[in-house]
Amino acid sequence: MRTIHRVFLALALLLLLEGCLWKPEAFYGRNISMDVEFLAPLKGSVPSNCDHSSIQKLKQYHWIQNRSEDSLRSKWEPQGQWLHFTIKNQLDFPSDFSVLIQWINIPSAEMCSENQKGEIIDSYSGYVWENWLGVLSPFPHFNVSLEPGESRDFYIYIVANENLNFPIRTISNSSYRFVVLFRFLTLLFFLMVGFVSAGWAISEFIKSKEFVYLSILFHFLLFFLLVYSVHGKELASLFDNENNIIKHSYYLFLSINHFVFFLYLFNFVKFTNETLTYPKLFWVSACSGFLYLFIPLMPRVYEYRIFLVLVIFGSAAFFLRNTHGILLSNKNDEERSYFFSWSLFLFLVFLKTLFHFDFYPYQPFFIYASVFYLPFLTVGSFLFLRNYEKRDKTKTRFRTITNKIDTQEFRIKLESLLESEKIYLNENCNEELIAQKLGVTYHQLSEIINVEYNFNFPTLLNLYRIKEAKRILLEKPELNVAEVGKMAGFGSRSAFYLEFKKQSGVNPNHFRKSTSHPKDKNK
């Protein structure tokens, strides 16, 4: 299957996946982001605990309605942020559910509530950091139970490491278990793809000595770490949360990923035997991704981050076109599809980066499309590069012996061996014997003969034997036909008769009678 077909298949799967991502309520519960209010900014300090006195103070302050339908959207507050919303049980029986915040880079979150009697319930202050085998951070979630018709005000105090731009949901216990299972299976899937890709890339590199295979593998692994750091387990839970680079690890991995992408471009140029244009600008652009690290460190850079994103992704797009231009110049659908598949990936990563830089609300497809597209791109890249090697005559892995040696020289040696030593007169003469004398393998000899003569080894041998038999028939008329066949190298009289008639059109006796003297042989 050609690369273009694989790309179409990947896009079809993405569209299918999009249908699921655009309807997350089926998996993640009801989105209540539009019902949430933010505490308006205060000049003084704000309460930092979920208790009775804090809630009494909060009730006196001004609240601002969240305006995003898809997610909570608010600027980061160093001292933490308060959220308020009301939930009413419309059912005729008790309702048990969880309030889930769909993000992981949240060091702490507390929730408490006030019922209609003015009683404060803070039994679910804080949330349990489940073990999850130590490889995934859980979403902050709080178990809630409401009586039939009960309405309750909820307050959440949340300390985040970045701007709020994620949904808050009410979710059933069964749905929450599905979320846990889905995230774990997704992690296992990408780990499996990583192991398979590693084995595949290393195998191709050992056989071809082309570093482009390893660079694609490195690109996949680093992008996996990028996604894992913001959707799986944040570095802040492993290291000190006080360091801005650790708190905002996405910028660190994004910088490294940009450089690794340029390493792939560099190795692809080497793979196609082209010359890297603008080499100084190329490596400057490769290192430009590390400017991302200034965003969490310098507030002024953060304000102009959109220009940084455009410049960095613009340079990546420019050099993708520059280094893959040879594919567009060739009128080959597979090669063009390969270029456009990488262009699509770069565009999807651009959309994902825009979200993480807080330029548009939470949209699952734009966030995860590049993630689920990458395995298809990686596999398709390996297959394309392998096929490209087969077509490229400058590559050595898939070149045959006739591409690597001077076959005309071996033809001269072979004919000299047959004519001078007349090794074909031995009825036990075979390809292995002649290949050994020529210093090639059995298969290489067969290939040389097929290319140079357009027929196989037995046919070549029989040509020389029949030529020798004709000479003997004319020069030694006293010998019978069976003796002539044996002297010419044939193992049996019948084999000699069949081959002689095949080449001459007559049997040996008729040939001898129709030829009056040896000179006729040369006419």
Side-chain angles (χ1 to χ4, degrees):
M1 184 183 293
R2 291 186 174 184
T3 301
I4 188 170
H5 295 151
R6 293 193 295 271
V7 171
F8 286 151
L9 177 61
L11 290 175
L13 290 173
L14 279 175
L15 291 174
L16 180 63
L17 179 64
E18 177 187 7
C20 298
L21 293 176
W22 277 117
K23 300 178 179 62
E25 284 75 12
F27 305 103
Y28 288 103
R30 186 171 69 93
N31 192 339
I32 61 172
S33 301
M34 274 292 290
D35 302 326
V36 175
E37 296 177 325
F38 294 104
L39 181 64
L42 300 174
K43 293 184 178 180
S45 61
V46 298
S48 58
N49 293 304
C50 245
D51 53 32
H52 186 275
S53 60
S54 296
I55 289 181
Q56 297 309 312
K57 292 180 182 179
L58 292 173
K59 292 168 68 174
Q60 307 301 319
Y61 298 145
H62 179 65
W63 295 83
I64 302 174
Q65 187 71 35
N66 178 44
R67 296 182 179 181
S68 173
E69 181 179 355
D70 301 306
S71 63
L72 302 174
R73 278 181 66 81
S74 174
K75 286 187 174 296
W76 174 69
E77 296 291 344
Q79 57 184 350
Q81 292 163 288
W82 280 97
L83 312 175
H84 168 257
F85 54 91
T86 302
I87 298 179
K88 182 177 181 179
N89 181 11
Q90 304 284 356
L91 304 175
D92 297 330
F93 49 85
S95 177
D96 296 321
F97 57 91
S98 293
V99 173
L100 180 142
I101 302 174
Q102 200 176 333
W103 203 246
I104 64 168
N105 199 11
I106 299 174
S108 67
E110 296 183 71
M111 187 175 82
C112 50
S113 65
E114 181 181 29
N115 62 20
Q116 297 298 315
K117 299 178 182 180
E119 298 172 338
I120 304 300
I121 301 174
D122 59 359
S123 59
Y124 32 65
S125 293
Y127 66 98
V128 179
W129 284 76
E130 298 162 325
N131 185 23
W132 291 40
L133 301 181
V135 296
L136 290 173
S137 298
F139 293 139
H141 57 284
F142 309 92
N143 296 327
V144 177
S145 180
L146 295 180
E147 295 299 324
E150 180 183 359
S151 178
R152 190 182 300 177
D153 288 312
F154 292 89
Y155 297 86
I156 294 181
Y157 179 66
I158 183 171
V159 177
N161 283 336
E162 54 200 337
N163 290 345
L164 303 190
N165 190 7
F166 41 77
I168 180 170
R169 303 178 181 277
T170 56
I171 184 172
S172 66
N173 293 330
S174 59
S175 295
Y176 180 74
R177 286 194 294 270
F178 174 82
V179 171
V180 174
L181 180 62
F182 178 77
R183 294 186 69 206
F184 210 88
L185 291 178
T186 301
L187 173 67
L188 291 180
F189 168 75
F190 281 98
L191 287 176
M192 180 188 69
V193 173
F195 282 121
V196 173
S197 299
W200 192 348
I202 293 172
S203 174
E204 296 292 346
F205 170 72
I206 292 174
K207 295 175 183 177
S208 67
K209 307 303 180 186
E210 298 285 356
F211 282 94
V212 67
Y213 289 102
L214 295 183
S215 63
I216 291 178
L217 170 64
F218 199 38
H219 175 267
F220 174 86
L221 296 178
L222 263 296
F223 192 80
F224 170 76
L225 287 178
L226 168 71
V227 176
Y228 178 70
S229 69
V230 291
H231 301 290
K233 192 176 185 68
E234 70 287 347
L235 290 184
S237 66
L238 301 174
F239 303 102
D240 184 13
N241 191 54
E242 299 302 319
N243 186 286
N244 274 339
I245 297 298
I246 298 299
K247 287 166 59 176
H248 305 280
S249 58
Y250 180 79
Y251 299 103
L252 174 62
F253 285 109
L254 190 63
S255 303
I256 298 174
N257 268 264
H258 180 79
F259 185 80
V260 170
F261 177 75
F262 272 77
L263 284 183
Y264 156 70
L265 297 181
F266 175 77
N267 283 295
F268 183 81
V269 171
K270 297 295 183 182
F271 175 78
T272 55
N273 298 316
E274 296 295 312
T275 302
L276 182 65
T277 55
Y278 314 113
K280 292 183 179 179
L281 180 61
F282 178 89
W283 291 113
V284 169
S285 299
C287 296
S288 66
F290 291 98
L291 294 175
Y292 284 131
L293 298 178
F294 289 100
I295 294 177
L297 298 176
M298 303 174 65
R300 181 58 61 88
V301 176
Y302 179 84
E303 293 298 324
Y304 296 97
R305 63 195 183 284
I306 184 61
F307 299 105
L308 199 61
V309 173
L310 292 176
V311 170
I312 292 175
F313 273 92
S315 67
F318 172 79
F319 279 105
L320 175 64
R321 172 64 177 82
N322 185 274
T323 55
H324 288 62
I326 184 176
L327 303 182
L328 295 178
S329 61
N330 298 333
K331 295 182 179 180
N332 184 300
D333 289 340
E334 185 179 12
E335 294 184 3
R336 292 184 177 184
S337 298
Y338 180 74
F339 166 75
F340 287 119
S341 64
W342 274 95
S343 300
L344 175 61
F345 173 75
L346 189 63
F347 176 69
L348 293 177
V349 176
F350 175 69
L351 293 180
K352 180 176 177 64
T353 304
L354 287 180
F355 162 74
H356 284 288
F357 280 30
D358 198 35
F359 288 112
Y360 57 79
Y362 189 95
Q363 296 291 345
F365 176 72
F366 294 134
I367 297 170
Y368 297 106
S370 60
V371 179
F372 288 97
Y373 177 66
L374 182 58
F376 297 101
L377 176 64
T378 302
V379 172
S381 297
F382 288 155
L383 293 174
F384 170 81
L385 295 175
R386 185 180 176 88
N387 290 336
Y388 190 94
E389 279 191 81
K390 290 181 179 179
R391 294 194 302 269
D392 192 344
K393 295 182 179 180
T394 65
K395 304 297 180 184
T396 59
R397 176 159 58 134
F398 293 105
R399 290 172 62 188
T400 63
I401 183 65
T402 56
N403 298 126
K404 299 177 182 179
I405 65 174
D406 186 351
T407 56
Q408 184 65 30
E409 179 184 350
F410 270 83
R411 176 173 179 163
I412 295 172
K413 290 181 180 179
L414 173 61
E415 292 178 351
S416 175
L417 179 65
L418 292 171
E419 292 174 0
S420 61
E421 297 187 20
K422 294 189 175 183
I423 195 171
Y424 57 85
L425 296 180
N426 182 352
E427 63 181 57
N428 295 320
C429 177
N430 54 35
E431 282 181 278
E432 287 85 352
L433 177 63
I434 293 182
Q436 184 179 5
K437 288 182 174 294
L438 290 176
V440 295
T441 67
Y442 166 86
H443 296 290
Q444 290 171 341
L445 177 61
S446 295
E447 188 176 345
I448 292 172
I449 294 174
N450 287 332
V451 170
E452 288 296 315
Y453 297 97
N454 292 320
F455 48 69
N456 57 24
F457 175 79
T459 301
L460 177 65
L461 212 60
N462 286 335
L463 283 175
Y464 278 89
R465 284 173 173 171
I466 295 301
K467 181 179 179 181
E468 181 67 16
K470 289 179 178 179
R471 185 189 66 78
I472 297 174
L473 284 170
L474 298 177
E475 292 182 356
K476 298 182 179 181
E478 71 278 5
L479 298 178
N480 61 45
V481 172
E483 290 176 323
V484 172
K486 188 173 183 179
M487 291 178 65
F490 287 96
S492 66
R493 184 176 182 275
S494 61
F496 173 52
Y497 261 77
L498 289 173
E499 188 62 32
F500 196 97
K501 190 169 184 178
K502 177 181 175 182
Q503 292 192 31
S504 305
V506 295
N507 61 44
N509 285 323
H510 190 276
F511 173 82
R512 175 181 274 174
K513 291 177 181 179
S514 63
T515 307
S516 58
H517 52 79
K519 292 183 180 180
D520 293 338
K521 174 173 68 69
N522 299 321
K523 290 181 180 181

